[in-house]
Structure formats: structure tokens, C-alpha cells
Amino acid sequence: MNYANIKPFSTENGTGVRVSLFVSGCPFHCEGCFNEEAWNYDCGKPFTEAVMDEIMDLLRPGYIAGLTLLGGEPAVKPHQKALLPLLQRIRKELPEKTIWVYTGYVYEDFLPGGDACDPAVTADFLQCCDVMVDGRFELSKHDVSLVFRGSSNQRVIDLNKTRELGRVTQLEI
């Protein structure tokens, strides 16, 4: 997996000051996408152990709320597998940090049999995440007044409450 960019101080991609990792490669190519350059899977640099170490160092300060995964598309099956060691490391070393994931898939695609479900990885990947902003960006539903999403079809899902309640529960913002 390659990544296109790391933003060490981001406030637009989740609550608080966050580290944002933009992965390379996206199968969706949404019209009006803000990050077209990250559609190409070969864009950017390789995601290595050294990059994971860099992200961990960026996450350590107390004023950093957590990590946000964007793209490209961070939740295609190979990206889930590549990102899982980082997410598990965050959970182990920095459990107070939150992890947000932006995806063009919808939550239901991650359930068994869904397009984004890799039985070997997906459950663990999602278990590490606190919030999912799901759904493809739709230019016709673009609304600048929305918080943490670009179009009205997208949901900001509280994954912890979703797991607890057994149904999709949106984050109260």
C-alpha cells in the first residue's frame, strides 16, 4: 500500500486535533472528489514500518485526539490488511486516542458477505475504529453546512455505540 500524504495537525477530519493519513488508491472515483490525486494506487510513497513509527510519534502529544484514515479509500480489503498493524499498535500503546475512518463503502458492506468484508481482517479492523464516515461523496447532495462529511447521504457512525446496541448509531455532533 502507498500513502499520498500525512497531515500532522488536522481539525476538519474528526473531533479535536488529529493526525490524518491519506492512503493511495480508490475504486470509486466520485465526481467532485476533493482528493482526485489519491485515486491512483501508485501515488505517493510506500507505507512502511518507519511510516508507522512516524505516525505513532505524531500521535503521542496529549493535544492530539487521534488518527483519521482517508484517501483514496482506506477500507479496500488490501488497505485494511496493511493498516491493521498500525491500528492495533495505537490501541495497545495509545488507547486514549480515537480512530476515524472515511470510506466510500457503507457500514453494511463490512458485514459478512459484503463487498468490503475480508473475513480474515475486517472484524479486527473495525474493532479498532471508533467512528466511520460512510458512503460515497455525491456531488448532487453536497452540503457545506454538514459536519465532518461532504454530502447528505453520508453518515457519521459511532462504531462503539453501534457495537453496543447492535444497530447502526450515528455520532451525536
Side-chain angles (χ1 to χ4, degrees), residues 100-147:
W100 284 49
V101 59
Y102 279 75
T103 178
Y105 293 105
V106 293
Y107 175 80
E108 292 77 9
D109 290 333
F110 295 92
L111 301 177
D115 290 343
C117 183
D118 177 342
V121 178
T122 300
D124 292 334
F125 179 86
L126 289 182
Q127 187 65 38
C128 291
C129 297
D130 298 291
V131 176
M132 174 186 286
V133 180
D134 80 337
R136 296 178 192 175
F137 173 76
E138 293 184 24
L139 188 58
S140 66
K141 295 178 181 179
H142 178 63
D143 182 346
V144 295
S145 71
L146 298 171
V147 179

Side-chain angles (χ1 to χ4, degrees), residues 6-26:
I6 298 171
K7 288 189 177 181
F9 308 105
S10 172
T11 57
E12 65 277 1
N13 300 314
T15 55
V17 180
R18 314 186 64 74
V19 175
S20 291
L21 172 64
F22 293 81
V23 302
S24 297
C26 182

Side-chain angles (χ1 to χ4, degrees), residues 16-119:
V17 180
R18 314 186 64 74
V19 175
S20 291
L21 172 64
F22 293 81
V23 302
S24 297
C26 182
F28 299 124
H29 301 188
C30 300
E31 180 185 0
C33 176
F34 80 100
N35 202 13
E36 260 185 65
E37 61 274 8
W39 289 356
N40 185 329
Y41 286 83
D42 295 323
C43 171
K45 302 174 189 169
F47 184 72
T48 64
E49 191 74 34
V51 173
M52 283 193 256
D53 291 343
E54 175 187 349
I55 291 169
M56 291 301 293
D57 288 343
L58 291 169
L59 287 168
R60 291 193 192 285
Y63 60 86
I64 298 293
L67 175 70
T68 299
L69 303 171
L70 314 101
E73 174 54 64
V76 291
K77 293 174 188 178
H79 290 170
Q80 290 179 44
K81 186 175 182 177
L83 291 165
L84 183 59
L86 171 65
L87 303 186
Q88 290 172 326
R89 188 172 166 193
I90 293 167
R91 285 288 164 244
K92 182 178 178 185
E93 295 178 31
L94 302 167
E96 73 282 6
K97 305 296 181 177
T98 59
I99 299 172
W100 284 49
V101 59
Y102 279 75
T103 178
Y105 293 105
V106 293
Y107 175 80
E108 292 77 9
D109 290 333
F110 295 92
L111 301 177
D115 290 343
C117 183
D118 177 342

